[in-house]
Amino acid sequence: MSDFAPQFAELNDDVLFGEVWSREDKLSPRDRSLVTISALMASGILGDPLLHHIQRGKANGITEEEISEALTQLAFYAGWPKAWAALRYAKEVYHE
């Protein structure tokens, strides 16, 4: 992305993943992952970004039981089809 949109890439790498995600004294990486997964799913962003963040969430300590429960809870507030899609990604990630 840096060749096509260098400012966007810089903001993504330096600000979002450099500064925001590193503020662990404010919110743990695990909790940031849970918030991010929830926001992506609720927004209907059900492709690679959601898959990536579920993988990142697993690496940040979200358990299979926690992701399953969170996505089930979200189904009632964000939509059943979105939760269904997100749960398929989570199943793929946690059963790799």
Side-chain angles (χ1 to χ4, degrees):
M1 188 61 72
S2 61
D3 292 341
F4 182 72
Q7 182 64 44
F8 178 87
E10 181 181 330
L11 291 169
N12 182 74
D13 297 347
D14 297 343
V15 177
L16 175 58
F17 288 103
E19 294 176 26
V20 175
W21 275 84
S22 68
R23 295 193 318 238
E24 294 180 22
D25 60 320
K26 308 290 185 212
L27 197 63
S28 71
R30 177 201 168 280
D31 291 347
R32 286 186 192 279
S33 285
L34 197 52
V35 169
T36 302
I37 291 164
S38 299
L40 291 172
M41 194 212 94
S43 298
I45 301 171
L46 304 172
D48 289 340
L50 179 60
L51 177 61
H52 167 78
H53 280 285
I54 292 173
Q55 292 167 333
R56 187 179 183 118
K58 180 181 178 186
N60 284 336
I62 298 173
T63 67
E64 181 177 344
E65 182 178 22
E66 290 169 330
I67 194 68
S68 174
E69 188 64 23
L71 295 173
T72 299
Q73 172 81 15
L74 282 163
F76 291 92
Y77 293 93
W80 205 262
K82 293 176 191 174
W84 189 270
L87 282 162
R88 283 185 297 151
Y89 282 127
K91 181 180 177 184
E92 177 184 325
V93 168
Y94 283 86
H95 292 178
E96 290 180 326

